[in-house]
Amino acid sequence: MSKKKKYIANEARYEKMNYRRTGNSGLLLPELSLGLWHNFGRNDDFKNARNLLKCAFDNGITHFDLANNYGPPYGSAETTFGKILKKDFKKYRDELIISSKAGYDMWPGPYGDLGSKKYLMASLDQSLKRMGLDYVDIFYHHRPDNDTPLEETMGALDLIVRQGKALYVGISNYRPERAAEAFKILKDLGTPCLIHQPRYSMLDRWVEDGLLDLLGNEGVGAIPFSPLGQGMLTDKYLNGFPEDSRAVKDGRYLKTDQINTQLDKIRALNEIAKERGQSLAQMAIAWILKDERITSVLIGASKTEQILDSLKATENTNFSKAELDKIEGILK
């Protein structure tokens, strides 16, 4: 009986990716990082999940981003990742940046949600067990909690680093004013905030209203998620709604009505992308990466082809003034 071949990473993987410094830190991240929000749950195809991670790493994507409640069910993406890490990536652990988060509802009762020290400490302990890790590279508070003192939440992040359970900490979904307060508290504690993870795309530009300036001034990295607007900034919906699309199958995060209201913009943007020799998805990612304050862009994928397609975005992140003006005219 023949033994199954062990995974050996592509030797040229680091030649295929550009890496950017994360704020003022010593940490470099790939221009594209892989998010495990979808396609790594208990009922998803395990073989496909393995192939996605291998494809990403073989092409220089060293950063895998998780959260406690990714699945479904909650926790199962971390469990799946832990199994794949053990099978394929154990010897590459020191070449990987693995992140997780806590902040959304995770278990019943008053201690499984938001921003208390009780929740964050317990959640990270559970995450580490699921993934079979001693530490994560980055641990985030996933969303602001206005009812818990910010000093308590940031104090928990500081303690987590001091305990050796995370190397760096970050925040996600924080508006500029609250983010500025968090940065100051963390700096005073001696554990500076490494990175902020906001939602950002051509169709959702709230970060341009103060947050990106704050990150640049404070030396904090930025790693946007949903760069394709939940799939709107692709050619998927240009000619109707495919039956297997998220908008048709799962209307929780993207509804057909949302797409219909943006369709004229999407079609006009697609024409500019074609002129640039890019797909719309590639241009949407490149448009975010044009800003030097952006450290990395989080992509999701259900097929290896989607990862390879997204990688092509990094080949041209330069936009002429005429292109930018045209894009602005469409997006207004």
Side-chain angles (χ1 to χ4, degrees):
M1 191 171 148
S2 65
K3 280 190 174 181
K4 284 187 179 176
K5 277 173 83 175
K6 286 228 170 209
Y7 167 63
I8 298 170
N10 184 341
E11 286 184 7
R13 59 192 176 276
Y14 293 114
E15 296 164 23
K16 301 181 173 202
M17 178 59 67
N18 303 313
Y19 297 85
R20 297 188 180 190
R21 189 161 301 281
T22 314
N24 289 340
S25 78
L27 186 69
L28 298 174
L29 289 182
E31 288 188 333
L32 295 187
S33 299
L34 185 65
L36 279 66
W37 184 17
H38 300 290
N39 306 306
F40 289 84
R42 186 182 295 160
N43 296 324
D44 289 308
D45 184 330
F46 182 75
K47 187 179 176 185
N48 184 56
R50 281 180 84 184
N51 288 337
L52 291 172
L53 292 174
K54 289 177 190 175
C55 175
F57 190 57
D58 280 342
N59 285 280
I61 295 177
T62 52
H63 179 206
F64 300 142
D65 182 72
L66 297 107
N68 57 356
N69 63 348
Y70 288 177
Y74 291 170
S76 59
E78 289 180 328
T79 301
T80 296
F81 179 74
K83 288 176 184 172
I84 297 168
L85 187 69
K86 191 175 177 184
K87 279 178 183 288
D88 302 313
F89 291 97
K90 202 170 182 184
K91 74 176 193 175
Y92 300 110
R93 170 64 184 102
D94 292 336
E95 296 183 45
L96 297 175
I97 299 296
I98 299 166
S99 60
S100 193
K101 317 176 196 74
Y104 286 94
D105 64 301
M106 185 60 194
W107 61 82
Y111 316 122
D113 198 359
L114 296 166
S116 71
K117 182 182 281 189
K118 167 73 173 171
Y119 170 47
L120 296 184
M121 304 298 291
S123 180
L124 179 54
D125 282 345
Q126 290 179 20
S127 291
L128 292 174
K129 279 180 191 165
R130 282 191 289 267
M131 293 188 281
L133 291 172
D134 296 322
Y135 69 94
V136 290
D137 297 279
I138 307 169
F139 184 67
Y140 291 89
H141 186 223
H142 207 164
R143 62 164 168 175
D145 171 9
N146 295 325
D147 294 324
T148 298
L150 200 52
E151 289 78 7
E152 177 178 342
T153 304
M154 296 305 113
L157 295 184
D158 172 64
L159 180 58
I160 280 163
V161 170
R162 293 181 190 281
Q163 289 182 337
K165 293 176 181 177
L167 301 185
Y168 303 93
V169 292
I171 58 175
S172 180
N173 297 304
Y174 274 60
R175 297 279 161 172
E177 301 77 15
R178 196 79 165 151
E181 289 175 50
F183 297 162
K184 184 176 186 318
I185 294 167
L186 284 170
K187 194 179 278 185
D188 290 346
L189 289 168
T191 302
C193 184
L194 175 81
I195 197 164
H196 187 302
Q197 188 175 131
R199 193 178 63 246
Y200 184 31
S201 74
M202 284 176 149
L203 300 175
D204 186 358
R205 300 172 64 179
W206 71 272
V207 301
E208 295 172 13
D209 190 17
L211 183 65
L212 285 178
D213 287 339
L214 174 69
L215 300 181
N217 293 335
E218 293 289 328
V220 176
I223 181 165
F225 67 91
S226 291
L228 306 182
Q230 293 292 331
M232 283 194 283
L233 290 164
T234 66
D235 56 13
K236 191 185 289 183
Y237 301 110
L238 292 174
N239 302 302
F241 297 99
E243 282 182 27
D244 65 343
S245 68
R246 195 182 298 164
V248 172
K249 286 199 314 186
D250 179 1
R252 285 177 302 163
Y253 303 107
L254 181 63
K255 296 178 169 47
T256 53
D257 288 353
Q258 275 175 275
I259 298 166
N260 283 327
T261 59
Q262 300 281 9
L263 211 44
D264 287 344
K265 287 182 182 179
I266 293 165
R267 288 191 175 124
L269 290 168
N270 188 56
E271 290 307 309
I272 298 175
K274 283 198 282 193
E275 287 167 16
R276 285 173 53 83
Q278 292 180 315
S279 68
L280 176 54
Q282 288 162 3
M283 184 178 80
I285 292 168
W287 182 85
I288 295 175
L289 284 169
K290 77 185 186 308
D291 191 322
E292 61 185 17
R293 295 168 297 187
I294 301 295
T295 309
S296 181
V297 173
L298 268 172
I299 60 166
S302 58
K303 302 170 188 163
T304 55
E305 292 82 5
Q306 291 169 334
I307 294 173
L308 298 173
D309 187 67
S310 293
L311 285 162
K312 289 177 187 165
T314 64
E315 294 169 11
N316 181 15
T317 59
N318 295 315
F319 288 77
S320 68
K321 185 176 183 305
E323 285 173 330
L324 290 174
D325 288 346
K326 225 171 176 182
I327 289 168
E328 279 301 313
I330 292 165
L331 294 176
K332 275 179 182 170

